[in-house]
Amino acid sequence: MGCVAELKERLRADLNAAMRARDQVRMRTLRLALTSITNEEVAGTSARDLTDDEVLRVLTREARKRREAAEAFSAAGRSDQAAAERAEGDVLAGYLPAQLSDAELSALVDAAIAETGASGLSGLGQVMKTVTPRIAGRADGARVAAEVRRRLSS
């Protein structure tokens, strides 16, 4: 395995393609994403290259920011800004793994509950710790927590 994450290389190559195509939305989005990745790499005590999984975490966080910003702009009646944020979110979504369906998420949560033997909301942290690595960017953390809470309280 190479030192540099393949996903980061793909982002760079796609940024160059977007520049040649003069695709402003892709250019802006990929530049911001690569900046976030670089910031993450230099954060902490020593600079390092991120793994593909870490790059995915950064992209997931960026996509969530776009989604939340789009909702905020939408609520404020700024539909043009909301559309721009959604367009950037769509670009980022192309790099993220396919999202889990509700049924798939339920099945993973049920398995984690069975494994940990958790019952009641006191087992929430235990179940989250077990299920989170298995989901790996395929569902929003808030959505996972809501499902775990729902299953533990029923």
Side-chain angles (χ1 to χ4, degrees), residues 14-154:
D14 290 353
L15 173 59
N16 288 333
M19 288 161 89
R20 281 193 299 277
R22 293 187 168 74
D23 181 338
Q24 296 300 321
V25 174
R26 284 191 87 76
M27 273 170 41
R28 185 175 64 234
T29 306
L30 295 176
R31 273 200 185 114
L32 285 168
L34 285 162
T35 301
S36 295
I37 291 166
T38 303
N39 290 343
E40 191 80 16
E41 287 174 337
V42 297
T45 50
S46 60
R48 64 194 178 85
D49 282 324
L50 299 183
T51 64
D52 271 348
D53 283 347
E54 291 169 317
V55 170
L56 264 181
R57 269 202 295 278
V58 172
L59 293 179
T60 301
R61 189 172 59 226
E62 289 300 312
R64 185 176 56 236
K65 283 182 192 168
R66 301 300 180 291
R67 203 168 44 246
E68 289 168 356
E71 286 166 12
F73 282 126
S74 216
R78 307 257 315 270
S79 55
D80 51 337
Q81 280 294 111
E85 293 289 340
R86 265 193 292 275
E88 289 185 14
D90 291 344
V91 170
L92 292 171
Y95 297 93
L96 299 173
Q99 295 296 292
L100 291 170
S101 69
D102 290 342
E104 291 167 322
L105 179 58
S106 280
L108 284 169
V109 168
D110 284 344
I113 290 172
E115 231 170 89
T116 58
S119 64
L121 291 176
S122 59
L124 182 74
Q126 203 181 4
V127 175
M128 286 298 288
K129 199 160 63 187
T130 304
V131 82
T132 302
R134 297 178 191 169
I135 288 172
R138 295 179 298 154
D140 187 72
R143 188 176 153 219
V144 176
E147 181 63 17
V148 170
R149 218 173 270 115
R150 194 175 74 76
R151 305 303 280 189
L152 286 174
S153 60
S154 61

